[in-house]
Amino acid sequence: MALCYIAKILLFAHIGLQGAAATNETTTPMTSGTSAAGTSGTGVLYEYGNATDRLTARGDGIVSVNPTVKFPFGGNTYSSFDLYNRGLLYFNGFVIAPFSANIYNAVSGNIYYRQSADPSLLANATQDINTYFPGLGFSAQWVFIATWDKVPQNGGNASQVNTFQVVLITDGTISFALFNYADIQWTNGAQDRFAHHYWVQWLIGKTEPKFIS
Ligand SMILES: *[C@@H]1O[C@H](CO)[C@@H](O)[C@H](O)[C@H]1NC(C)=O
Ligand SMILES: *[C@@H]1O[C@H](CO)[C@@H](O)[C@H](O)[C@H]1NC(C)=O
Ligand SMILES: *[C@@H]1O[C@H](CO)[C@@H](O)[C@H](O)[C@H]1NC(C)=O
Ligand SMILES: *[C@@H]1O[C@H](CO)[C@@H](O)[C@H](O)[C@H]1NC(C)=O
C-alpha cells in the first residue's frame, strides 16, 4: 500500500466578525522525492529532525503546545493544543488527524515536533500556500510541524512503518493544515476507524471530538 507523495491541504478561514469558520480542501499529488530519516527537506516533507525539533515521549506520548501566534480554527483561536502520538492534534473538541490510527512507538519510530517563525521556513510555507490557494495574498507568520518518522502500529515492529507529517500554518487570521504522506506501509489500524474514534474519546477523556482527517 503506497500513499506516497500525496499532500492534502486544508484551509480554515476564520471569519472573525461572524465567528464562523469554513474549510476548503485540496489534494495534491507531489512530484518528487522521498525523505531520509530525520533529515528531510527534499520531497514531500518539510524538514525535521533532532537539529531543530523536540521528540514526544515514547508510547502514548502527549505534548501540550502553546503557539506563539494563536491558531485560528473551528471558529476559535487557540493558544494551546495537544499533540498525540496516535496521529492527531486535539483542539478542545476538534481533532486534526493526519493519520489517526493505532500508532505505538514504544520500541521504534520517532515523533518530532516544533513551532517556528524561522524566516526561511515562513517563506517556504508562504510559497506553498500561495501555490495551492492563489489570490489570498497569504503571508505565513507561524508554522508548526509534527513528523511521525517510521512509526509502527501497536503490536507491530520496525519492518512495517509509516512516515507522515502535519504542518499547521497561519498568519493569525487564516490557517491551514498540510497532511504530507511520505511512506505509508500499514493502514490496518487506520481502517478500524469506528473503534479508533472510541479509543481517542477515551484517551482524550472528553466527549467524542469532531474529526477533520
Ligand atoms: C472554498 O472554495 C469555493 C469554491 O472553490 C470558493 O467559492 C470559496 O470562496 C472557498 N472558501 C474559502 C473560505 O476559501
Ligand atoms: C534523534 O534522537 C533520538 C533520541 O536520541 C534518536 O532515537 C533518533 O535516532 C535521532 N534521530 C536521528 C535521525 O538521528
Ligand atoms: C525551504 O525550501 C528550500 C527549497 O526547497 C530548502 O532548501 C530549505 O531548506 C527550506 N527551508 C526550510 C527552513 O525548510
Ligand atoms: C514484524 O512484523 C511483521 C508484519 O506484521 C511480521 O511478519 C514479522 O514476523 C515481525 N517480525 C518480528 C521480528 O517480530
Side-chain angles (χ1 to χ4, degrees):
M1 169 76 199
L3 267 176
C4 300
Y5 319 140
I6 297 294
K8 183 161 131 178
I9 305 178
L10 304 166
L11 158 64
F12 309 119
H14 180 74
I15 302 152
L17 264 182
Q18 297 162 357
T23 302
N24 266 14
E25 179 178 323
T26 175
T27 301
T28 310
M30 305 297 272
T31 47
S32 67
T34 58
S35 57
T39 57
S40 170
T42 58
V44 67
L45 299 180
Y46 277 50
E47 284 180 8
Y48 66 98
N50 289 324
T52 48
D53 297 2
R54 303 186 66 178
L55 290 165
T56 68
R58 293 201 166 280
D60 274 329
I62 305 170
V63 169
S64 183
V65 179
N66 297 113
T68 53
V69 174
K70 285 189 182 178
F71 189 73
F73 175 51
N76 290 307
T77 54
Y78 287 89
S79 51
S80 83
F81 62 88
D82 295 327
L83 160 63
Y84 282 74
N85 277 5
R86 298 250 180 171
L88 58 92
L89 306 175
Y90 181 72
F91 292 77
N92 192 30
F94 292 90
V95 165
I96 296 178
F99 195 84
S100 177
N102 203 0
I103 296 163
Y104 197 61
N105 75 330
V107 176
S108 74
N110 288 304
I111 298 156
Y112 298 88
Y113 69 97
R114 74 175 181 281
Q115 59 172 317
S116 175
D118 170 64
S120 159
L121 180 61
L122 293 180
N124 287 3
T126 295
Q127 186 183 328
D128 285 347
I129 296 306
N130 286 323
T131 299
Y132 299 115
F133 293 94
L136 289 176
F138 182 78
S139 176
Q141 301 299 312
W142 176 86
V143 173
F144 171 82
I145 303 173
T147 309
W148 284 257
D149 185 44
K150 298 190 175 61
V151 292
Q153 61 184 311
N154 195 2
N157 60 51
S159 70
Q160 222 182 25
V161 291
N162 290 344
T163 298
F164 60 94
Q165 186 176 66
V166 59
V167 182
L168 303 182
I169 301 170
T170 189
D171 62 358
T173 304
I174 301 176
S175 56
F176 300 86
L178 276 60
F179 295 171
N180 296 327
Y181 301 98
D183 190 14
I184 300 298
Q185 299 177 358
W186 62 268
T187 58
N188 294 345
Q191 281 160 4
D192 191 3
R193 200 175 161 81
F194 186 72
H196 184 70
H197 281 202
Y198 272 91
W199 183 87
V200 167
Q201 187 175 339
W202 173 82
L203 179 73
I204 291 170
K206 305 236 170 76
T207 52
E208 187 170 13
K210 179 171 165 35
F211 267 77
I212 296 181
S213 58

